[in-house]
Amino acid sequence: MNKKLCPCQSKRSYIDCCEKYHLGKKKPQNAKDLMRSRFCAYALSLSDYIIKTSHPKNACFQKDLKTLKEDILRFCKDTSFENLEILDFIEEKEKAFVTFIAYLKAAKKDLTFTEISHFEKQNGKWLYKDGQLFEGIRRDL
Ligand SMILES: [Zn+2]
């Protein structure tokens, strides 16, 4: 069977890691797992999962769904998702913050960025609300 490593860099196999979230069999228990599964979904071009796990107030929904989906798929296709490093994770009752470095490349160009992601819980489900992005590797945030 497919024992390839999960693109979220957990060092576990995909079937033991993010697949259950992507298939909707289970929901991530915390925002950190959701963040990992979203990174993984980008790496696997699973645009529906990205959309489904975004908060309705996320700015991405200013576009119509078809355009949004096309944009996500284009980004996924043009980008290689090389590594993920989680630096910090703060969880409160209804909101959470995950600071991470996403190591990305597109057409040999380094697109690595650091982000402080903001998540909110809605009906028991963690959703990606928005994020503060910083170019390159930032460990001083
Ligand atoms: Zn994973």
Side-chain angles (χ1 to χ4, degrees):
M1 272 308 284
N2 195 352
K3 272 283 179 187
K4 69 175 171 152
L5 285 176
C6 194
C8 83
Q9 309 291 329
S10 61
K11 303 208 164 61
R12 288 185 285 161
S13 69
Y14 177 60
I15 51 169
D16 293 327
C17 189
C18 292
E19 189 191 51
K20 54 187 175 292
Y21 306 136
H22 294 161
L23 294 176
K25 288 183 178 168
K26 212 181 154 194
K27 55 185 178 193
Q29 289 305 294
N30 58 54
K32 191 169 83 173
D33 286 350
L34 174 65
M35 190 269 132
R36 296 196 88 94
S37 71
R38 283 173 52 92
F39 179 87
C40 188
Y42 275 110
L44 298 173
S45 295
L46 302 173
S47 58
D48 290 339
Y49 187 79
I50 302 293
I51 293 169
K52 208 175 71 182
T53 55
S54 296
H55 195 282
K57 290 215 173 92
N58 185 290
C60 72
F61 291 112
Q62 284 165 5
K63 293 174 189 168
D64 66 274
L65 272 183
K66 190 172 163 272
T67 311
L68 175 60
K69 197 172 163 163
E70 283 167 4
D71 284 0
I72 294 171
L73 288 175
R74 190 175 323 110
F75 173 69
C76 293
K77 193 171 150 271
D78 292 346
T79 311
S80 90
F81 299 80
E82 314 226 310
N83 201 0
L84 171 68
E85 190 182 344
I86 293 175
L87 301 178
D88 197 21
F89 171 46
I90 303 165
E91 188 176 78
E92 294 164 14
K93 229 174 140 200
E94 302 285 318
K95 60 180 178 181
F97 298 90
V98 184
T99 307
F100 62 90
I101 305 172
Y103 296 83
L104 310 184
K105 255 188 200 145
K108 302 221 166 95
K109 216 175 113 200
D110 187 34
L111 295 180
T112 297
F113 64 88
T114 307
E115 177 173 335
I116 304 174
S117 275
H118 173 203
F119 298 85
E120 251 181 49
K121 211 174 192 177
Q122 214 178 50
N123 305 321
K125 223 174 88 184
W126 284 105
L127 296 170
Y128 174 69
K129 182 107 183 267
D130 49 39
Q132 254 182 293
L133 258 81
F134 304 86
E135 234 177 83
I137 297 169
R138 294 282 301 269
R139 296 179 191 276
D140 58 327
L141 301 171

mmCIF file of all heavy atoms in Angstrom, residues 6-9 39 43 79-85 101-106 108-112:
data_model
loop_
_atom_site.group_PDB
_atom_site.id
_atom_site.type_symbol
_atom_site.label_atom_id
_atom_site.label_comp_id
_atom_site.label_asym_id
_atom_site.label_seq_id
_atom_site.Cartn_x
_atom_site.Cartn_y
_atom_site.Cartn_z
ATOM 1 N N CYS A 6 4.065 11.639 4.809
ATOM 2 C CA CYS A 6 3.101 12.723 4.713
ATOM 3 C C CYS A 6 3.803 14.034 4.356
ATOM 4 O O CYS A 6 4.794 14.393 4.985
ATOM 5 C CB CYS A 6 2.368 12.863 6.037
ATOM 6 S SG CYS A 6 0.917 13.901 5.864
ATOM 7 N N PRO A 7 3.285 14.756 3.368
ATOM 8 C CA PRO A 7 3.911 16.029 2.973
ATOM 9 C C PRO A 7 3.897 17.094 4.078
ATOM 10 O O PRO A 7 4.537 18.124 3.943
ATOM 11 C CB PRO A 7 3.075 16.490 1.779
ATOM 12 C CG PRO A 7 2.370 15.273 1.298
ATOM 13 C CD PRO A 7 2.159 14.404 2.503
ATOM 14 N N CYS A 8 3.192 16.850 5.163
ATOM 15 C CA CYS A 8 3.192 17.838 6.243
ATOM 16 C C CYS A 8 4.448 17.736 7.104
ATOM 17 O O CYS A 8 4.615 18.474 8.069
ATOM 18 C CB CYS A 8 1.942 17.719 7.114
ATOM 19 S SG CYS A 8 2.050 16.457 8.396
ATOM 20 N N GLN A 9 5.341 16.800 6.721
ATOM 21 C CA GLN A 9 6.652 16.668 7.371
ATOM 22 C C GLN A 9 6.571 16.118 8.794
ATOM 23 O O GLN A 9 7.455 16.338 9.618
ATOM 24 C CB GLN A 9 7.404 18.016 7.389
ATOM 25 C CG GLN A 9 7.498 18.703 6.049
ATOM 26 C CD GLN A 9 8.405 17.986 5.082
ATOM 27 O OE1 GLN A 9 9.369 17.358 5.477
ATOM 28 N NE2 GLN A 9 8.088 18.050 3.801
ATOM 29 N N PHE A 39 -1.318 22.590 5.057
ATOM 30 C CA PHE A 39 -0.046 22.617 4.326
ATOM 31 C C PHE A 39 0.014 21.392 3.402
ATOM 32 O O PHE A 39 0.364 21.485 2.226
ATOM 33 C CB PHE A 39 1.124 22.606 5.325
ATOM 34 C CG PHE A 39 2.486 22.616 4.669
ATOM 35 C CD1 PHE A 39 3.095 23.808 4.324
ATOM 36 C CD2 PHE A 39 3.148 21.425 4.402
ATOM 37 C CE1 PHE A 39 4.345 23.814 3.718
ATOM 38 C CE2 PHE A 39 4.405 21.426 3.789
ATOM 39 C CZ PHE A 39 5.005 22.619 3.452
ATOM 40 N N ALA A 43 0.180 20.861 -0.715
ATOM 41 C CA ALA A 43 1.184 20.024 -1.382
ATOM 42 C C ALA A 43 0.531 18.992 -2.301
ATOM 43 O O ALA A 43 1.114 18.587 -3.297
ATOM 44 C CB ALA A 43 2.054 19.325 -0.341
ATOM 45 N N THR A 79 4.062 25.445 -7.283
ATOM 46 C CA THR A 79 4.885 25.551 -6.087
ATOM 47 C C THR A 79 5.305 24.187 -5.601
ATOM 48 O O THR A 79 4.520 23.238 -5.662
ATOM 49 C CB THR A 79 4.084 26.267 -4.975
ATOM 50 O OG1 THR A 79 3.515 27.462 -5.529
ATOM 51 C CG2 THR A 79 4.955 26.630 -3.793
ATOM 52 N N SER A 80 6.525 24.084 -5.115
ATOM 53 C CA SER A 80 6.866 22.843 -4.419
ATOM 54 C C SER A 80 6.988 23.137 -2.927
ATOM 55 O O SER A 80 7.605 24.114 -2.504
ATOM 56 C CB SER A 80 8.101 22.187 -5.039
ATOM 57 O OG SER A 80 9.262 22.624 -4.445
ATOM 58 N N PHE A 81 6.332 22.288 -2.178
ATOM 59 C CA PHE A 81 6.192 22.490 -0.730
ATOM 60 C C PHE A 81 7.237 21.636 -0.043
ATOM 61 O O PHE A 81 7.013 20.478 0.262
ATOM 62 C CB PHE A 81 4.760 22.126 -0.300
ATOM 63 C CG PHE A 81 3.738 23.000 -0.976
ATOM 64 C CD1 PHE A 81 3.331 22.748 -2.273
ATOM 65 C CD2 PHE A 81 3.235 24.103 -0.312
ATOM 66 C CE1 PHE A 81 2.421 23.574 -2.902
ATOM 67 C CE2 PHE A 81 2.315 24.939 -0.939
ATOM 68 C CZ PHE A 81 1.911 24.668 -2.235
ATOM 69 N N GLU A 82 8.405 22.231 0.165
ATOM 70 C CA GLU A 82 9.571 21.432 0.535
ATOM 71 C C GLU A 82 9.649 21.062 2.011
ATOM 72 O O GLU A 82 10.090 19.987 2.342
ATOM 73 C CB GLU A 82 10.825 22.199 0.139
ATOM 74 C CG GLU A 82 10.693 22.762 -1.273
ATOM 75 C CD GLU A 82 11.904 22.529 -2.110
ATOM 76 O OE1 GLU A 82 12.999 22.853 -1.620
ATOM 77 O OE2 GLU A 82 11.744 22.011 -3.230
ATOM 78 N N ASN A 83 9.247 21.973 2.851
ATOM 79 C CA ASN A 83 9.379 21.667 4.268
ATOM 80 C C ASN A 83 8.459 22.563 5.085
ATOM 81 O O ASN A 83 8.042 23.629 4.633
ATOM 82 C CB ASN A 83 10.831 21.866 4.716
ATOM 83 C CG ASN A 83 11.148 21.109 6.000
ATOM 84 O OD1 ASN A 83 10.290 20.436 6.576
ATOM 85 N ND2 ASN A 83 12.370 21.249 6.475
ATOM 86 N N LEU A 84 8.167 22.089 6.280
ATOM 87 C CA LEU A 84 7.331 22.847 7.199
ATOM 88 C C LEU A 84 7.961 22.763 8.581
ATOM 89 O O LEU A 84 8.330 21.677 9.033
ATOM 90 C CB LEU A 84 5.918 22.257 7.239
ATOM 91 C CG LEU A 84 4.980 22.804 8.316
ATOM 92 C CD1 LEU A 84 4.614 24.253 8.033
ATOM 93 C CD2 LEU A 84 3.706 21.959 8.382
ATOM 94 N N GLU A 85 8.092 23.901 9.195
ATOM 95 C CA GLU A 85 8.659 23.923 10.547
ATOM 96 C C GLU A 85 7.725 24.734 11.434
ATOM 97 O O GLU A 85 7.457 25.909 11.160
ATOM 98 C CB GLU A 85 10.044 24.579 10.483
ATOM 99 C CG GLU A 85 10.838 24.467 11.746
ATOM 100 C CD GLU A 85 12.187 25.183 11.631
ATOM 101 O OE1 GLU A 85 12.623 25.493 10.501
ATOM 102 O OE2 GLU A 85 12.773 25.456 12.679
ATOM 103 N N ILE A 101 7.233 28.161 9.647
ATOM 104 C CA ILE A 101 7.986 28.520 8.447
ATOM 105 C C ILE A 101 7.606 27.526 7.360
ATOM 106 O O ILE A 101 7.681 26.314 7.568
ATOM 107 C CB ILE A 101 9.508 28.457 8.678
ATOM 108 C CG1 ILE A 101 9.913 29.332 9.865
ATOM 109 C CG2 ILE A 101 10.260 28.901 7.419
ATOM 110 C CD1 ILE A 101 11.382 29.157 10.269
ATOM 111 N N ALA A 102 7.134 28.043 6.244
ATOM 112 C CA ALA A 102 6.815 27.199 5.092
ATOM 113 C C ALA A 102 7.928 27.382 4.073
ATOM 114 O O ALA A 102 8.161 28.502 3.609
ATOM 115 C CB ALA A 102 5.464 27.597 4.505
ATOM 116 N N TYR A 103 8.604 26.294 3.785
ATOM 117 C CA TYR A 103 9.716 26.330 2.820
ATOM 118 C C TYR A 103 9.153 25.973 1.454
ATOM 119 O O TYR A 103 8.826 24.816 1.195
ATOM 120 C CB TYR A 103 10.804 25.344 3.228
ATOM 121 C CG TYR A 103 11.476 25.682 4.544
ATOM 122 C CD1 TYR A 103 10.900 25.315 5.756
ATOM 123 C CD2 TYR A 103 12.686 26.379 4.566
ATOM 124 C CE1 TYR A 103 11.505 25.627 6.961
ATOM 125 C CE2 TYR A 103 13.310 26.697 5.777
ATOM 126 C CZ TYR A 103 12.711 26.316 6.966
ATOM 127 O OH TYR A 103 13.313 26.622 8.163
ATOM 128 N N LEU A 104 9.024 27.002 0.618
ATOM 129 C CA LEU A 104 8.408 26.805 -0.690
ATOM 130 C C LEU A 104 9.358 27.236 -1.795
ATOM 131 O O LEU A 104 10.183 28.127 -1.617
ATOM 132 C CB LEU A 104 7.130 27.644 -0.824
ATOM 133 C CG LEU A 104 6.068 27.580 0.273
ATOM 134 C CD1 LEU A 104 4.869 28.414 -0.140
ATOM 135 C CD2 LEU A 104 5.644 26.160 0.547
ATOM 136 N N LYS A 105 9.166 26.598 -2.951
ATOM 137 C CA LYS A 105 9.929 26.980 -4.129
ATOM 138 C C LYS A 105 9.012 27.011 -5.331
ATOM 139 O O LYS A 105 8.122 26.173 -5.439
ATOM 140 C CB LYS A 105 11.036 25.964 -4.380
ATOM 141 C CG LYS A 105 12.401 26.489 -3.983
ATOM 142 C CD LYS A 105 13.493 25.574 -4.407
ATOM 143 C CE LYS A 105 14.711 25.883 -3.564
ATOM 144 N NZ LYS A 105 15.477 24.700 -3.255
ATOM 145 N N ALA A 106 9.242 27.986 -6.197
ATOM 146 C CA ALA A 106 8.501 28.027 -7.448
ATOM 147 C C ALA A 106 9.470 28.452 -8.537
ATOM 148 O O ALA A 106 10.136 29.475 -8.408
ATOM 149 C CB ALA A 106 7.345 29.013 -7.373
ATOM 150 N N LYS A 108 12.367 27.505 -9.258
ATOM 151 C CA LYS A 108 13.697 27.684 -8.676
ATOM 152 C C LYS A 108 13.816 28.930 -7.805
ATOM 153 O O LYS A 108 14.877 29.249 -7.290
ATOM 154 C CB LYS A 108 14.790 27.687 -9.755
ATOM 155 C CG LYS A 108 14.812 26.417 -10.586
ATOM 156 C CD LYS A 108 16.255 25.967 -10.854
ATOM 157 C CE LYS A 108 16.309 24.542 -11.377
ATOM 158 N NZ LYS A 108 16.357 24.466 -12.844
ATOM 159 N N LYS A 109 12.720 29.636 -7.659
ATOM 160 C CA LYS A 109 12.759 30.821 -6.806
ATOM 161 C C LYS A 109 12.322 30.422 -5.396
ATOM 162 O O LYS A 109 11.386 29.659 -5.231
ATOM 163 C CB LYS A 109 11.788 31.876 -7.377
ATOM 164 C CG LYS A 109 12.303 33.291 -7.219
ATOM 165 C CD LYS A 109 11.383 34.277 -7.904
ATOM 166 C CE LYS A 109 10.731 35.146 -6.859
ATOM 167 N NZ LYS A 109 9.524 35.797 -7.315
ATOM 168 N N ASP A 110 13.030 30.951 -4.428
ATOM 169 C CA ASP A 110 12.691 30.622 -3.051
ATOM 170 C C ASP A 110 11.522 31.500 -2.578
ATOM 171 O O ASP A 110 11.603 32.724 -2.611
ATOM 172 C CB ASP A 110 13.924 30.858 -2.168
ATOM 173 C CG ASP A 110 13.665 30.372 -0.749
ATOM 174 O OD1 ASP A 110 12.941 29.378 -0.596
ATOM 175 O OD2 ASP A 110 14.181 30.993 0.191
ATOM 176 N N LEU A 111 10.456 30.844 -2.184
ATOM 177 C CA LEU A 111 9.271 31.590 -1.729
ATOM 178 C C LEU A 111 8.999 31.362 -0.244
ATOM 179 O O LEU A 111 7.877 31.525 0.228
ATOM 180 C CB LEU A 111 8.038 31.145 -2.517
ATOM 181 C CG LEU A 111 7.997 31.423 -4.011
ATOM 182 C CD1 LEU A 111 6.699 30.906 -4.597
ATOM 183 C CD2 LEU A 111 8.136 32.910 -4.298
ATOM 184 N N THR A 112 10.035 30.952 0.460
ATOM 185 C CA THR A 112 9.875 30.641 1.876
ATOM 186 C C THR A 112 9.326 31.834 2.649
ATOM 187 O O THR A 112 9.730 32.976 2.420
ATOM 188 C CB THR A 112 11.240 30.216 2.457
ATOM 189 O OG1 THR A 112 11.630 29.019 1.787
ATOM 190 C CG2 THR A 112 11.174 29.969 3.954
#
